[in-house]
Amino acid sequence: MKIKCIGILTSGGDAPGMNAAIRAITRSAIYNGIRVKGIYRGYKGLMMGEIEEFHTESVSNIIQHGGTILKSARCQEFHTQEGRQKAYTTLRSEGIDALVVCGGDGTFTGARLFAQEFDFPIIGVPCTIDNDLSGTDFTIGYDTALNTIVDAVDKIKDTANSHERLFFIEVMGRDAGYLALNGAIATGAEAAIIPEIETGIDQLEAFISRGFRKSKNSSIVLVAESDITGGAIGVAERLKKEHPEYEARITILGHIQRGGSPTAADRILASRLGAAAIDALIDDQRNIMVGVVNDRVVYVPFNKAIKHEKKMDTSLLSVLKVVSN
Ligand code: F6P
């Protein structure tokens, strides 16, 4: 089937670079003679018909901005059959014959269900700061979030050194340790506590005392937000029970990690993957995510992209251990 009109939406947690992706998808579609409709507020807006025709100039001057001009939402109703039926009715009435969805795990889980139920072509563009999708080396937004973490931790290190303190710094990543682990390597932290690897209290104490011995003044530990790690507060409480001699300070970086102007790497990745999404549709690809592996664009079936399958590169832990020694 020749695609004549696509809809674009952004869904789930926003990620810096989403705007660059919207721009690339829009421009690439128009370049190939395909009409574009912007769908506001993710699947929720799709069900409600919050849709606008997009032109080349609709996406002017947005590449440098964080957030998403299309807004985003997490939508429970799309998890129901009725919700998805509503969405399908909107697509038919708008004359949209394919969707490009920008988001992460939850977005693609919904897309996969919808595509199967209605035999509707959907292409996913991986946008999440968590970098937790399988089948792509990087997701859009991850590099910017990592740089935000580096910037923040560098600042905390100044005060940690001055006061000779131990800091637990919690970073995002909902059950994925990429931001914590690579953030720790990039900032010269003593350790990363991540959900993928269990860290005992003795091990943690060893990291911290090594940090103090090494610099004689401070120690920094990055903790991935997760029920498994207990987050920075949980880790600090565990340590205090066994080692009351440590008085820790806690910083939760929070949503600052999701905002800001995307890095060059994220803008380029978003531009490549946005264009690749349209190439994929023209190539008759259906229900796949576009990704990048070894710097080449790849097509990954949704069920392979969805999380819990992405393997953490544990050699990075050894790197952290060696360089923080
Ligand atoms: O998935 C992206 C993410 O930023 C996670 O790292 C974090 O756990 C979650 O979203 C926070 O979601 P919300 O903005 O809905 O609180």
Side-chain angles (χ1 to χ4, degrees), residues 13-14 74 128-130 172-175 179 225 255 258:
D14 62 343
R74 302 191 198 274
T128 165
I129 65 165
D130 299 352
M172 277 191 167
R174 202 200 311 260
D175 295 334
L179 287 171
E225 120 191 327
H255 285 79
R258 286 241 295 265

